[in-house]
Amino acid sequence: MYTILVKTVSGFEQLLEQDILAYGGVVISVQKRSIICQGDADLVVKLNVCSGVAVYVYILLYHFEAHHKREYTTRIRDFKWENYLLTTQTFSIKSDVFGSNYFDNSLYASLLLKDAIADRQRDISGKRSNVDREYPDAEFYQYVHQSKVAVYINTSGAPLYRRGYKVMGAKAPINEVLAHGILRLAGYSGEQRFINPMCGSGTLISEAILLQRKECANRYRTSYAFRKFDWDNFEEIFLKITMNFKDVFREKVAQFIGIDSDADALKATEVTLQKIQKNEQVQLIHWDFLRWDKVVEDAFVILNVPYNHRLKINYEPFFKDLGKRLKKSFPGGECWVLSAGREHTKYMDLKSSHSIALYNGKIPVLLQQFKIY
């Protein structure tokens, strides 16, 4: 049984808790942007492969208390790092430090951990692992709070929003974890026609397709750190899960529409969909949505509008035009808008029925629901 730290996006903690419980885990504590839980190797693999809102999955290796640097160094060197890191493998370390009386900063904490691991390796074999900050075989995460120290190993490798299906990108994107979580928070069921104005490189459409097929979020990804671990049957579990992947064809054919004025963005969407699309009906429209004159009733509409941090717009006329277009094009529909906040969406002249504060990277954003009558 492992103690597992799972990191997520702020605002998705409840969704992550649902996933952990669904995969048979036991939740120990829910914190901002993370959950600590307990489970076996099966849970570790399922959180990596199947959860759409996990960003990193860590296993706790070692925890202790140290009240000064010498005690810390001794405790670290006593741990059997050789069980998790061969001298022929590379490694890296990330640290977070809060209220320590012997660590001035996280970089110093990482340096001491690195040196202690290397010293133990030399004492045992006369050799040591090299550091590789870009593509390490093992990445350790150290969390220090006052005198308490916890060291984890990263089982994911690269962040889990790298799904493995996207080939090209577009400006002002949202990552796949954020898109997946937004769709779940919005209650997307896959039953309605899905329309994504200003679709960019198609992240929301792609995640919506996977959600309506009820597929593992990372079914197109093959690279995980745990696949290099030989101290449990992670690889066996992974192969068992992925061998059961099947192409899902729903009897009711789902319909998806993406609209964007950027031809390059639509090309990126098209390339991505070539990899994941099955029998879904997808229509990509090269058009300025504010001038789109079609009417679609009873649709699920979602859009990620410019924030001005990356895309420059004149807000007041833009949102006034957006509100008019939504009312004309989607009578009786449900629309979700991800924006910089009410100071912009107030110009839409639509009443928001639900709001959720989130972050797109480091940018604070607001997800709002508008029911159009």
Side-chain angles (χ1 to χ4, degrees), residues 218-337:
N218 284 311
R219 69 156 294 174
Y220 295 99
R221 172 172 166 154
T222 59
S223 177
Y224 301 91
F226 66 74
R227 299 195 68 186
K228 300 177 182 179
F229 301 165
D230 61 1
W231 35 273
D232 207 330
N233 61 334
F234 299 108
E235 180 69 3
E236 179 185 341
I237 295 168
F238 173 76
L239 293 176
K240 183 178 179 180
I241 291 174
T242 54
M243 283 175 62
N244 290 328
F245 284 160
K246 297 178 181 178
D247 290 337
V248 179
F249 296 89
R250 291 182 51 153
E251 291 184 9
K252 181 181 178 181
V253 178
Q255 295 181 316
F256 299 85
I257 298 175
I259 307 166
D260 206 288
S261 59
D262 186 336
D264 291 336
L266 287 181
K267 179 62 179 177
T269 303
E270 183 181 355
V271 171
T272 295
L273 292 176
Q274 288 174 358
K275 188 165 187 176
I276 68 172
Q277 186 180 350
K278 304 304 178 188
N279 67 330
E280 299 85 11
Q281 293 181 1
V282 181
Q283 183 181 10
L284 300 179
I285 302 171
H286 182 206
W287 201 259
D288 181 354
F289 174 66
L290 298 182
R291 295 188 174 94
W292 197 57
D293 58 359
K294 304 295 183 183
V295 176
V296 182
E297 295 184 356
D298 193 30
F300 180 94
V301 184
I302 188 163
L303 61 159
N304 175 32
V305 300
Y307 309 144
N308 207 32
H309 292 79
R310 298 171 179 155
L311 299 176
K312 305 298 182 181
I313 61 169
N314 191 344
Y315 279 117
E316 185 171 346
F318 173 84
F319 281 97
K320 282 183 177 179
D321 290 344
L322 178 60
K324 292 175 184 177
R325 177 48 50 207
L326 292 174
K327 284 182 279 189
K328 288 180 180 179
S329 293
F330 307 117
E334 175 186 358
C335 180
W336 290 81
V337 177

Side-chain angles (χ1 to χ4, degrees), residues 204-223:
L204 281 164
I205 293 177
S206 301
E207 291 296 313
I209 288 174
L210 296 177
L211 264 176
Q212 64 89 28
R213 291 205 303 245
K214 296 180 171 58
E215 291 195 306
C216 286
N218 284 311
R219 69 156 294 174
Y220 295 99
R221 172 172 166 154
T222 59
S223 177

